[in-house]
Each structure stands twice: as C-alpha cells, then as structure tokens.
Amino acid sequence: MTSGGVKQSYVQGARITDEIMHHVPNSGGVTTGIYGSKGSGKTTFLLTLAQNITCEDPVTGKYEGETIVWRGRSTDYWNWIPNEKVVIFLHKKDYERTVFKDDVLRIIPREELPPIEPYTSLRQLNSRLRAGKVNVIYEPTSYQLPERIKKIVQKRGGDDVKIDQVDPVIFWFEFMDWMVHNKNPKFMTIIFDEADELFPQSPGGVRWHLNLWAKDIIKDLRRRRMSLFMACHGYQDLDGRLKPKIQYKIWMRGSVTMPESLIRRQAPLLLEPGVYYIERTGWGKAAFPKIKEKSIILTYTDGRDERDDFGTHEEVDMTDIKPIHPKKKALNNSISPSQLPEDCLVRDAQGNIVSLDLSRFLNPAITVKKSKPSTRKKPTFHRKSYIKERTSTNDNKVEVAKKYDGGVATGVIEDVRVPKRERNDLTTDEVDK
C-alpha cells in the first residue's frame, strides 16, 4: 500500500472509531465485536472505551459522559481505572462475603477500593447506576430463571430441557431484556470482556434456547439507545447466530477476519499491539494509546477460592493407613533336573526320576552343574578359496588359502574353476554371456 493509501486508511479508521465512541439520538446504540489473540490489547481497548465514550443527551442536546456497565469477572482489570470513576455492585447475598485480592494474594481492604453497593433487584440496580461512571456489576453467585423467562423458553420449544439449572451469567440476559423495556431514554453502554463465556459457540440444552432469546434482545438494543461491546479471541468463539447482529467489527493482532469481510483475511495477524482494523460499511486502520498498567484484581464472591479444595469430602485420619508398595516380581529360581547333582535325584528301577531330595542340595559340598557357553567361533571364508573348503582361525588353513590366492594372482598356480552345472533352460547360457 502506498503512503497515500496508508494515510487514507487511518482517516477512515478514525472516522469509524468516532462512530462507536460518540453516540447521537438519531443513530441509537451500536453493537461491536472486538477480536484478537492474547496480548493484542482487547482489554486495554475496552478500558479506554469505558473512560472516553460520550453521548448527546436526547433532552438537552449536550454531550456528556455515558453510563457504562462493565461485567465483573473473577479475574479483572477494572482497577486500572481511577477509583473516582468506578462504582462496584454486588448482590445482597454476596455483599458481605466477597473478598478482593491483588496478584500477590493480598486481601485488599474495602477502604482502598471504589464504592461498593448491594443490589437485590434489577429495578433497584437501575436506580443506583451512575451516569458518566463505570458501573462494575457482578452477577449473583446463585441465579434462578424467573417464571416469565421460563415461559419464553418453553414457547420456543424448550419443554424437554432442564430450565431450573442455569449458569449465573444468564443474569445478564435478563438484565439486557429488563433494560430494553424499562430504561430511561438516555444512552447506556454494556461491556463484556471474554464474551464467549456468555455466548459460547456450541451451547446445549436450555442454553441453546437462551442464546436464541439473547439474539433477539441484542437486536432491540440499538433502538433503546443501548450499545454493546463484546471482546473474545476470535469470531468463531461466539454463537454463530449473533454474527448478523454485530454492526462494527474490530480486528486486532492474531485474529482472522470473516470470509465476507472487506479486509484481507490474514491482514490482522501481524499487527502491532494497540493497532487494529475496524469495519462496517467501509474499513480503516486505527490505534489507541497505552494506559498505566496495574496488577490484576481477583474477586471471590463467595468469600473463598473454591479451587483450594479438590472436593467436598471429609478429612480422613491418615495415621493408621499404611502405604501400599508395589509387589516385587519373584525371582525365577527353578532349576532343571539336569543341573542338579545326581545325589539329589531319586530314581526308580527303570532309571526314571520320581522325586528330588533337596535336603542334600543345600549341602555346600555339593555343587550345581552349570552348562558352559559355547566357545565355537563363526567360520571365516576367504575370497576364492571359500569355494573349495571352509576354514577357521584355529588351524593353518587360512595361511594355505592366502598362498593359493597369491599363486593364482602371479600365475604360478592355475586356478581351477568350479564346473558349470547342467541346465535344462538353454536361454540361461545366453544370459550368462
């Protein structure tokens, strides 16, 4: 690409990026998919968006900071955002027992964290969201589908699936559905890092029906001035039914574009971290600056790390339990009768062995016969003389063979050739010639 083409691609990239960062009432919300391998900058880009997305107030017409909803995860990076811009929401049942740790597993006092507030219902949660701030929401550790959603699943053909047992992440499906029908007319942005946890590629059971329901919810987000940003490693990781609902696509390092993309399929593979391709009706290239890095934050919403224990079994007293050692293979001490002394053999009148008297075998004066290994060496064959006789190194025939070969070479001795065999097939003589 020429320098002019590169400049034009960055111009288009800045224009399309501006569309996803600044929202106006006439356009509504946007749905954006962000794809890239580990270390490509997906999370950093989401943190940048969370702090810089603005919107036009549909009533006053003024630009202001948008209400950002960030899905909290057990391993997260929202602590990279200044505390004064963050509010944390925990379900009432998890509020007291939730523990936050840094990457060295130090428990972080709540005085060092952003404000933390409990919620009991979606209506209460919506009333406490802060406009212009990043609202980090953790789904409840235990979640049950409301009867209304159960009826929706059954209506879509899920009568035979188990509806009561669902993953707590389904809370976010209900959250989006409730916001579509009850939110005020102002803008809101929802950010899902590792979106494949919510919309896996091949869901089964009730999850298949719920993902189909979520697809219809995402379709209505734009009309309600709600934007959705989803980041994952590749577009193949998400449920394929969501692909038509994604308006903007951002390709970072290590990703490959869709077959119908305007961008060459392998183009994003070797991008530098922080550089990306973006496309909708057109395509362009853009970059975002680095932000100050901090350690990750670990969240234990049940008060402890369940992965410390490999099961829920009771402790067992190990004092009376002896270790089990593998059995050693018994040695084969069997001895054939031919190896035993004659004094240990009991024979009948015909000379057959009828029993053994091993008591005498234990007498050290009696020794066991051991067969000697064969000392015979392989015969050697010496050039032409091997036709006449086989020799070994134990006699002087090797020297005789060498003299014979020397005489034949000097012409002193006439070499006697081996007579040719009688052959029935006359054509073999022609071959021999």
Side-chain angles (χ1 to χ4, degrees), residues 178-232:
W178 193 94
M179 289 296 173
V180 166
H181 295 90
N182 299 278
K183 186 184 70 66
N184 60 36
K186 291 191 176 183
F187 282 91
M188 175 186 289
T189 291
I190 304 174
I191 297 177
F192 292 147
D193 196 5
E194 305 298 340
D196 52 306
E197 296 176 356
L198 286 86
F199 312 105
Q201 179 187 14
S202 301
V206 66
R207 195 67 178 271
W208 189 92
H209 298 277
L210 290 172
N211 277 20
L212 184 61
W213 174 54
K215 181 203 70 171
D216 296 335
I217 298 173
I218 294 174
K219 177 180 61 177
D220 297 329
L221 293 180
R222 185 187 64 83
R223 300 184 181 92
R224 294 290 291 140
R225 300 191 179 99
M226 296 176 63
S227 298
L228 178 63
F229 290 85
M230 301 179 291
C232 60

Side-chain angles (χ1 to χ4, degrees), residues 3 17 19 21 55 117 120 122 154 186 192 195 197 207 213 249 252 282 294-295 320 359 392 431:
S3 59
T17 302
E19 294 178 5
M21 294 187 65
C55 63
E117 298 184 10
T120 57
L122 292 175
Q154 293 172 350
K186 291 191 176 183
F192 292 147
E197 296 176 356
R207 195 67 178 271
W213 174 54
K249 303 173 185 65
M252 294 187 175
K294 297 181 181 180
S295 63
D320 297 333
S359 60
S392 65
V431 175

Side-chain angles (χ1 to χ4, degrees), residues 382-383 400-413:
H382 184 66
R383 292 202 299 182
V400 174
K402 290 181 179 179
K403 290 181 181 180
Y404 177 83
D405 292 338
V408 172
T410 57
V412 178
I413 301 175

Side-chain angles (χ1 to χ4, degrees), residues 69-321:
V69 174
W70 181 287
R71 177 188 172 241
R73 302 179 62 248
S74 58
T75 304
D76 217 330
Y77 296 87
W78 52 256
N79 58 320
W80 292 23
I81 304 174
N83 284 358
E84 59 271 13
K85 295 183 179 180
V86 178
V87 182
I88 302 174
F89 293 93
L90 297 168
H91 193 267
K92 185 178 180 180
K93 294 181 179 179
D94 307 325
Y95 179 76
E96 295 293 339
R97 62 186 180 183
T98 299
V99 176
F100 298 94
K101 296 182 181 181
D102 56 17
D103 57 351
V104 294
L105 302 182
R106 178 185 70 91
I107 298 179
I108 304 175
R110 294 203 172 186
E111 294 77 17
E112 301 178 11
L113 295 170
I116 304 177
E117 298 184 10
Y119 69 89
T120 57
S121 64
L122 292 175
R123 187 175 299 276
Q124 184 189 57
L125 179 59
N126 179 49
S127 64
R128 295 185 177 183
L129 295 178
R130 306 293 199 278
K133 291 191 176 183
V134 180
N135 301 270
V136 180
I137 303 176
Y138 285 89
E139 65 258 15
T141 53
S142 60
Y143 175 77
Q144 292 183 349
L145 285 177
E147 291 297 328
R148 181 180 61 87
I149 300 179
K150 290 182 180 180
K151 292 180 180 179
I152 293 176
V153 174
Q154 293 172 350
K155 186 178 179 180
R156 292 173 177 268
D159 297 329
D160 300 333
V161 297
K162 295 182 179 180
I163 302 179
D164 295 331
Q165 301 176 358
V166 295
D167 196 297
V169 297
I170 305 301
F171 161 83
W172 288 101
F173 296 3
E174 185 184 359
F175 175 86
M176 292 188 294
D177 180 68
W178 193 94
M179 289 296 173
V180 166
H181 295 90
N182 299 278
K183 186 184 70 66
N184 60 36
K186 291 191 176 183
F187 282 91
M188 175 186 289
T189 291
I190 304 174
I191 297 177
F192 292 147
D193 196 5
E194 305 298 340
D196 52 306
E197 296 176 356
L198 286 86
F199 312 105
Q201 179 187 14
S202 301
V206 66
R207 195 67 178 271
W208 189 92
H209 298 277
L210 290 172
N211 277 20
L212 184 61
W213 174 54
K215 181 203 70 171
D216 296 335
I217 298 173
I218 294 174
K219 177 180 61 177
D220 297 329
L221 293 180
R222 185 187 64 83
R223 300 184 181 92
R224 294 290 291 140
R225 300 191 179 99
M226 296 176 63
S227 298
L228 178 63
F229 290 85
M230 301 179 291
C232 60
H233 293 166
Y235 72 90
Q236 305 95 331
D237 297 333
L238 296 179
D239 193 327
R241 295 172 291 181
L242 300 180
K243 188 169 66 171
K245 308 304 176 185
I246 300 176
Q247 300 169 281
Y248 295 84
K249 303 173 185 65
I250 294 177
W251 311 100
M252 294 187 175
R253 181 174 184 168
S255 63
V256 292
T257 62
M258 299 177 184
E260 64 271 17
S261 174
L262 301 174
I263 302 169
R264 187 166 55 86
R265 188 167 177 79
Q266 290 81 17
L269 286 175
L270 301 179
L271 286 175
E272 294 294 328
V275 182
Y276 60 90
Y277 288 103
I278 184 171
E279 66 171 326
R280 191 192 177 187
T281 53
W283 70 275
K285 196 174 184 181
F288 56 91
K290 292 188 65 175
I291 62 177
K292 185 178 179 181
E293 296 185 6
K294 297 181 181 180
S295 63
I296 61 174
I297 190 163
L298 307 175
T299 306
Y300 307 94
T301 51
D302 63 345
R304 66 184 182 90
D305 187 2
E306 295 181 349
R307 289 158 288 196
D308 290 341
D309 304 322
F310 60 84
T312 57
H313 308 287
E314 296 180 357
E315 294 186 2
V316 181
D317 186 8
M318 302 292 291
T319 56
D320 297 333
I321 299 178

